[in-house]
Amino acid sequence: MKLSRLIFTILFLFAVWVLLTGGYKDPQELVTGFLVSVVVSLFTGPLFTRRGLYHLSPKRLWGKFVYLFVFLIELVKANVDVAKRVLSPSLPINPGIVRVKTKLTEDMDKLWLANSITLTPGTMTLDIKGDELFIHWIDVKTTDVEEAGETIKGAFERHLGGE
Amino acid sequence: MFLTVMTYMGYLLLFIGCFFLVVSAIGILRMPDLYNRLQAGTKASTLGAMCTIMGIGFLHPAWWVKCFLLSLFILMTNPLSSSVLARASLRSGVKPYKLVVNECERYLNEEKGDN
């Protein structure tokens, strides 16, 4: 378990290094990058991830991949929505704070869900406590926990939870 | 031909990005309270910054990978930081503007009881 965490952190850091430097021509750069990732991983590996290589299982990666597209579409919708609200003279807002329950258990998944909620139309995560998310909703349509959850989380939770 | 298309795409993305950045600035000025301002600010500025950076990537194909990585970082950290700002202000007692429902009051009181 510990080793898997370490390897996952090293792989992740090294991938970022390669992308940032574009250094596939110079072996010296690659070696330096690898050594630095190993040293950093030794210190931060346990903090960075809890499940290690489990995150790289094909099923989870595919889930993340599909999720990215769903998410980008929602992001564009959110921005058009905000632009409409901001630019319309009457400023149509109807804000409220609602509570939503999530079925996700992984901390990383919750983080992604919270991030997605913040970036989708009219909602922003205020706080997470256990399995409850508190959400500031710019245009409240319903106060029911279940119904609000379905409207806000929508497809995200299904894609993120795809294990 | 290909390069021309890339250039046009780049300028188009730059334009869209700038538009959303302007919208987010107007939003911050027009919204009534901190939470609504954060909403307008975060969403529009995230897409705005991403579009601008990707536009630069299209104009300079050599930087494409770096630009992609940068926009990914923005995508991950921007909503997080605004969430943290909102949470901190909620806990330090910034009053929201005219809420329709507020499920938070009970929860904040519970928190106080715990401590």
Side-chain angles (χ1 to χ4, degrees):
Chain A
M1 202 63 195
K2 226 177 168 185
L3 192 68
S4 136
R5 277 187 205 168
L6 192 68
I7 294 173
F8 177 72
T9 317
I10 292 175
L11 283 177
F12 183 82
L13 290 176
F14 190 59
V16 171
W17 171 274
V18 169
L19 286 176
L20 270 181
T21 57
Y24 351 93
K25 299 149 228 156
D26 190 358
Q28 214 173 347
E29 241 175 37
L30 286 184
V31 173
T32 316
F34 186 72
L35 287 181
V36 172
S37 350
V38 170
V39 172
V40 173
S41 310
L42 281 177
F43 288 106
T44 59
L47 297 174
F48 182 63
T49 169
R50 195 171 289 171
R51 303 287 294 268
L53 287 174
Y54 165 71
H55 287 296
L56 290 181
S57 74
K59 226 172 174 182
R60 264 183 87 81
L61 280 183
W62 175 247
K64 288 282 187 300
F65 186 71
V66 173
Y67 160 78
L68 195 67
F69 284 98
V70 175
F71 173 64
L72 282 178
I73 293 168
E74 286 294 313
L75 179 60
V76 174
K77 266 201 242 161
N79 275 280
V80 174
D81 180 71
V82 165
K84 255 194 236 156
R85 274 179 215 284
V86 167
L87 296 178
S88 69
S90 58
L91 204 65
I93 57 171
N94 183 24
I97 294 174
V98 292
R99 191 163 48 105
V100 161
K101 276 188 190 300
T102 175
K103 290 194 257 347
L104 299 174
T105 48
E106 290 285 303
D107 283 354
M108 206 61 179
D109 288 346
K110 277 191 212 160
L111 169 71
W112 279 107
L113 182 66
N115 260 3
S116 318
I117 287 173
T118 302
L119 285 176
T120 45
T123 52
M124 180 174 66
T125 316
L126 287 175
D127 207 345
I128 301 181
K129 192 185 188 192
D131 65 341
E132 289 182 331
L133 289 107
F134 291 88
I135 288 163
H136 183 267
W137 200 353
I138 208 168
D139 186 15
V140 176
K141 297 200 178 67
T142 167
T143 52
D144 180 58
V145 174
E146 292 292 321
E147 223 179 304
E150 191 47 42
T151 318
I152 292 174
K153 290 182 298 184
F156 288 138
E157 199 180 57
R158 283 192 285 280
H159 287 293
L160 280 171
E163 306 200 0
Chain B
M1 178 60 201
F2 182 64
L3 271 180
T4 331
V5 174
M6 290 280 274
T7 313
Y8 279 123
M9 276 292 286
Y11 282 123
L12 185 69
L13 277 177
L14 276 179
F15 179 77
I16 296 172
C18 290
F19 171 74
F20 279 120
L21 285 174
V22 170
V23 165
S24 87
I26 299 174
I28 288 173
L29 284 175
R30 286 200 68 194
M31 288 298 179
D33 74 337
L34 185 136
Y35 304 98
N36 290 314
R37 282 182 177 160
L38 271 176
Q39 288 241 20
T42 320
K43 287 186 239 296
S45 73
T46 308
L47 192 71
M50 277 174 67
C51 278
T52 318
I53 292 171
M54 292 300 270
I56 303 273
F58 272 105
L59 290 179
H60 296 267
W63 300 349
W64 202 86
V65 179
K66 275 177 213 179
C67 291
F68 179 71
L69 209 61
L70 271 181
S71 57
L72 214 60
F73 277 135
I74 287 181
L75 186 67
M76 278 161 69
T77 52
N78 218 350
L80 195 69
S81 60
S82 85
S83 240
V84 170
L85 276 175
R87 178 173 189 264
S89 38
L90 188 74
R91 282 172 179 244
S92 55
V94 177
K95 288 274 171 297
Y97 162 88
K98 276 199 217 162
L99 287 182
V100 183
V101 281
N102 189 355
E103 305 243 12
C104 241
E105 221 140 6
R106 190 172 50 83
Y107 146 77
L108 280 175
N109 288 337
E110 273 171 30
E111 287 271 300
K112 267 182 205 148
D114 287 347
N115 294 332

